[in-house]
Amino acid sequence: MTGGRRTQAERDAMTVEIGYALVSAVFAAVVVFGAVAGPVWLFELPGTVETVLMSAGLVLLPVVFFVRAASVLYRYRRAAGQPSQPGRTNPDS
């Protein structure tokens, strides 16, 4: 992206990428939370184990969300700033 005004296509691409980052981050966070805290609802576990699993799930939930969202947006920013490679096939051609 250039230092000037962004085109409508660039703004649309950015909007789509932000939406993808948020949706995939929510999905990843819910999957990790379910994998860690899910046994609490499926099995009869001692109170301490239930507390530990729920606490771990609640700690991992926002961590996974932010790491996933940041990694998607960072990867998009790096890819958008790089010019296409000479001699490579353009996927739009």
Side-chain angles (χ1 to χ4, degrees):
M1 286 178 219
T2 62
R5 299 194 73 182
R6 292 184 175 99
T7 65
Q8 184 64 42
E10 289 173 329
R11 290 193 305 267
D12 289 346
M14 194 177 309
T15 301
V16 168
E17 199 64 28
I18 290 169
Y20 170 72
L22 293 176
V23 169
S24 68
V26 166
F27 180 76
V30 168
V31 167
V32 170
F33 177 78
V36 173
V40 170
W41 294 296
L42 296 175
F43 305 110
E44 191 88 20
L45 300 171
T48 306
V49 174
E50 285 185 0
T51 303
V52 168
L53 288 176
M54 285 300 288
S55 297
L58 289 172
V59 166
L60 286 173
L61 187 79
V63 170
V64 170
F65 175 84
F66 287 116
V67 167
R68 175 64 182 163
S71 68
V72 169
L73 294 175
Y74 178 74
R75 194 171 47 229
Y76 170 73
R77 183 174 178 203
R78 282 192 61 150
Q82 293 178 343
S84 62
Q85 298 293 323
R88 301 256 175 140
T89 305
N90 186 352
D92 294 334
S93 61

